[in-house]
Amino acid sequence: LHDALPISNGTWTKVSWDQAINEIGDKLTEIRGKSGPDSAYWLGSAKMTNEGSYLFRKLGAFWGTNNTDHQARICHSTTVTGVANTWGYGAMTNSYNDIRNAKTMVIMGGNPAEAHPVSLQHLLEGKELNRANFIVIEPRLTRTAAHATEYVRIRSGTDIPVIYGMLWHIFKNGWEDKEFIEQRVYGMDDIRKEVEKYPPDEVERISGVPGAQLERIARMMSHDKPACLIWAMGQTQHTVGTATVRASCVLLLATGNIG
């Protein structure tokens, strides 16, 4: 569509809607005539309404292709797959009320202060009214991390070793929720074997996080309950996003904190 961009002599110029629609439509029709309807990829946005998304999908079908998609493919699909494969249902398991009543809130791979500011109000009320632990695990000091009672700086992409590092301390100290695991969880013995590969010195080598800090957070998650773990794009948009989500779910299973 480069030919349709309203640029003249290196500067933007205004064009009419008729001109824009006709130029783009003519160019797309030309592409379809030359390369077929599957040569175009129709990608929606998080800012579209349900009605807009419905029409967008209809436009793709009318055009002659099923190559239509939406931003949630890289946003939520990893969470759906990771959560569903861990405990059978791929959706969020807690509400804002659950979060604001938690004694420990861990935000790992999320920045609600800038991305979900309404939700942050619930988190901050929980932190201030319940004196809750407010832990942010993030490679950079974000506006959310500035509110943390404990900020954990990790090397980007090392989420799974950090989670396994917490589990190492939990299993080592017997902090897991034994009754919950016995009644509701299977396969945890396999996790124990895998976690043994991630002692504190190895996790610090991989992630940069000191073992004493991870032990402190692991204790909070297993003792100051209920606890919740909140993630967003910081987990899901890695190449190993689904595996990261599964590891997060396993951490919650081990401590009896579904949420």
Side-chain angles (χ1 to χ4, degrees):
L1 300 181
H2 292 297
D3 297 340
L5 292 175
I7 298 177
S8 177
N9 296 323
T11 60
W12 291 97
T13 57
K14 287 186 177 181
V15 298
S16 68
W17 277 110
D18 284 345
Q19 180 184 345
I21 289 170
N22 284 326
E23 283 189 15
I24 293 170
D26 290 347
K27 188 69 176 176
L28 279 167
T29 303
E30 179 188 331
I31 291 169
R32 183 172 66 173
K34 181 181 178 182
S35 305
D38 284 342
S39 60
Y41 174 53
W42 301 82
L43 181 63
S45 163
K47 304 303 179 187
M48 292 173 72
T49 61
N50 286 339
E51 293 77 11
S53 298
Y54 178 82
L55 285 173
F56 188 77
R57 175 68 187 94
K58 286 289 188 184
L59 174 60
F62 180 73
W63 175 258
T65 184
N66 63 355
N67 288 349
T68 59
D69 211 340
H70 50 97
Q71 61 82 226
R73 183 71 59 220
I74 55 172
C75 159
H76 198 60
S77 61
T78 44
T79 287
V80 169
T81 306
V83 176
N85 280 316
T86 313
W87 53 57
Y89 185 74
M92 187 174 178
T93 57
N94 49 2
S95 66
Y96 281 151
N97 283 337
D98 294 329
I99 292 170
R100 67 192 292 161
N101 286 311
K103 295 297 194 315
T104 297
M105 295 174 280
V106 181
I107 299 94
M108 185 176 190
N111 183 16
E114 295 179 86
H116 308 101
V118 174
S119 73
L120 183 73
Q121 296 303 311
H122 295 275
L123 272 69
L124 292 181
E125 282 197 25
K127 172 194 168 189
E128 290 163 12
L129 297 180
N130 295 334
R131 300 292 187 267
N133 304 310
F134 192 91
I135 302 159
V136 178
I137 305 174
E138 185 72 26
R140 64 191 179 93
L141 185 69
T142 61
R143 290 185 179 182
T144 303
H147 292 285
T149 57
E150 177 106 29
Y151 169 53
V152 184
R153 187 189 294 277
I154 69 170
R155 184 173 289 123
S156 183
T158 62
D159 306 65
I160 295 173
V162 169
I163 291 169
Y164 278 5
M166 284 190 268
L167 283 168
W168 188 92
H169 288 290
I170 287 167
F171 292 138
K172 178 78 171 177
N173 291 290
W175 293 340
E176 70 271 26
D177 191 326
K178 299 176 182 63
E179 183 180 355
F180 182 83
I181 292 171
E182 183 182 348
Q183 291 181 353
R184 298 180 177 272
V185 182
Y186 67 91
M188 194 60 82
D189 287 340
D190 294 330
I191 296 294
R192 288 177 188 270
K193 293 174 187 174
E194 189 66 23
V195 164
E196 287 175 7
K197 302 174 186 176
Y198 292 89
D201 56 344
E202 178 67 1
V203 173
E204 183 168 2
R205 184 188 69 80
I206 296 169
S207 68
V209 182
Q213 188 176 33
L214 278 188
E215 184 175 19
R216 191 161 57 244
I217 296 159
R219 183 178 177 85
M220 291 177 194
M221 283 201 72
S222 55
H223 287 70
D224 299 341
K225 297 168 64 172
C228 67
L229 177 58
I230 300 165
W231 66 81
M233 305 299 96
Q235 282 202 19
T236 60
Q237 294 200 11
H238 285 288
T239 55
V240 291
T242 301
T244 306
V245 168
R246 292 203 71 174
S248 298
C249 293
V250 168
L251 175 61
L252 294 169
L253 285 172
T255 56
N257 287 306
I258 298 302

